[in-house]
């Protein structure tokens, strides 16, 4: 499939590399390709600058958001939650219409430091905000409850664990579930409509405390039943 991964952080890089490795035609979307490629410092998390990663992945192209989204059948939103709506607006509603929009973003608010709070919760979610803002996109919330490396290689944990899908379009969820299975996920739980993204986004405060307690981000939820 032709897939646009909007996002140049660790999630965008992990998804783009894995999807490309699986044979998909992948373009990474960014707000300003020149600015993204001209960064020379590691990001806030210590990840090498994007151009280092891009040099190692010559088969994956970098394009402005709209160009990447326009050419794609499936669009992945791997952008910072605080900028997600604006970033998708820049990608263009007309380029998202009718397409599967895989939303991995979390509504984290770091304005008061760490741990972050959620800027939307309980009665709404970022997934729903995105679906409302782009009603013709077929939004599927998924993969926001585990770290980037495990998203694309869950088998590396050495134990089965669970991921979730939320969305109003059954065919879109089937497409996304197929991609998740191709990554190695074996327990994909369909939570229901996009409103169920409230639940998985509200797992983030738990996930963050687990990371603190365990001293690692290499863990995942497993739903035993
Ligand atoms: P990130 O630093 O959260 O996001 C980087 C991307 O967001 C860049 O592509 C950047 O665009 C874009 N962006 C748009 N508006 C922005 C703004 N106002 N401020 C900062 N960046 C903005 O990277 P990430 O760690 O890869 O996470 C991506 C998303 O996945 C986030 O929503 C995060 O909560 C979620 N998530 C992350 C993990 C993880 O393991 N890191 C796990 C689960 C979910 P440019 O390319 O134009 O700079």
């Amino acid at each position: 499939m032709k897939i646009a991964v909007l996002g140049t952080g660790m999630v965008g890089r992990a998804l783009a590399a894995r999807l490309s490795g699986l044979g998909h035609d992948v373009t990474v979307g960014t707000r300003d390709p020149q600015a993204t490629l001209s960064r020379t410092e590691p990001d806030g998390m210590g990840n090498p600058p994007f151009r280092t990663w891009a040099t190692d992945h010559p088969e994956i192209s970098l394009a402005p958001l709209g160009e990447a989204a326009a050419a794609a059948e499936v669009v992945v939103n791997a952008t910072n939650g605080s900028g997600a709506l604006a970033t998708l607006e820049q990608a263009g509603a007309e380029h998202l219409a009718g397409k599967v929009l895989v939303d991995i973003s979390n509504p984290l608010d770091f304005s008061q430091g760490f741990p972050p709070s959620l800027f939307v919760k309980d009665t709404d979610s970022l997934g729903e905000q995105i679906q409302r803002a782009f009603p013709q996109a077929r939004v599927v919330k998924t993969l926001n409850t585990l770290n980037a490396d495990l998203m694309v290689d869950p088998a590396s944990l050495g134990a089965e664990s669970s991921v979730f899908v939320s969305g109003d379009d059954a065919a879109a969820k089937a497409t996304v579930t197929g991609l998740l299975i191709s990554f190695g996920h074996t327990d994909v739980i369909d939570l229901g409509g996009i409103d169920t993204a409230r639940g998985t986004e509200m797992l983030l405060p738990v996930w963050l405390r687990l990371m603190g307690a365990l001293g690692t981000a290499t863990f995942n939820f497993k739903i035993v039943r």
Side-chain angles (χ1 to χ4, degrees):
M1 279 191 287
K2 280 184 80 72
I3 302 181
V5 176
L6 309 184
T8 55
M10 54 193 292
V11 175
R13 297 179 199 187
L15 265 289
R18 184 73 161 124
L19 288 164
S20 175
L22 287 167
H24 298 287
D25 181 355
V26 180
T27 300
V28 170
T30 189
R31 291 170 290 185
D32 180 343
Q34 277 311 109
T36 297
L37 289 172
S38 65
R39 289 177 201 141
T40 55
E41 299 298 320
D43 68 14
M45 302 294 287
N47 300 304
F50 184 82
R51 73 176 180 191
T52 303
W53 180 89
T55 303
D56 293 339
H57 297 86
E59 71 287 2
I60 300 174
S61 48
L62 183 69
L65 297 161
E67 189 180 315
E73 304 163 65
V74 170
V75 179
V76 177
N77 173 35
T79 66
N80 192 274
S82 63
L85 284 165
T87 306
L88 292 170
E89 198 61 55
Q90 198 178 329
E94 70 278 21
H95 298 141
L96 303 175
K99 295 180 182 172
V100 176
L101 176 55
V102 185
D103 175 35
I104 304 178
S105 62
N106 276 311
L108 300 179
D109 175 2
F110 286 92
S111 63
Q112 305 301 312
F114 197 90
S117 58
L118 300 178
F119 62 73
V120 55
K121 61 181 189 294
D122 295 323
T123 55
D124 198 4
S125 63
L126 185 53
E128 288 167 275
Q129 290 183 345
I130 290 170
Q131 183 64 84
R132 285 199 301 274
F134 303 95
Q136 291 181 283
R138 302 154 69 206
V139 179
V140 179
K141 185 99 200 181
T142 193
L143 293 180
N144 62 309
T145 54
L146 68 172
N147 98 335
D149 293 336
L150 293 179
M151 288 178 194
V152 298
D153 186 15
S156 64
L157 261 183
E160 189 185 56
S161 59
S162 310
V163 288
F164 311 97
V165 288
S166 300
D168 295 336
D169 186 303
K173 281 193 288 194
T175 298
V176 174
T177 298
L179 290 172
L180 295 174
I181 290 170
S182 73
F183 293 165
H185 290 283
T186 53
D187 187 29
V188 181
I189 300 176
D190 184 348
L191 293 175
I194 190 63
D195 57 303
T196 62
R198 295 175 197 181
T200 51
E201 292 180 8
M202 287 194 290
L203 276 178
L204 260 291
V206 181
W207 189 93
L208 288 159
R209 271 69 177 190
L210 282 166
M211 183 178 69
L214 300 174
T216 177
T218 308
F219 64 89
N220 191 20
F221 295 106
K222 175 176 181 171
I223 306 305
V224 179
R225 75 274 196 196

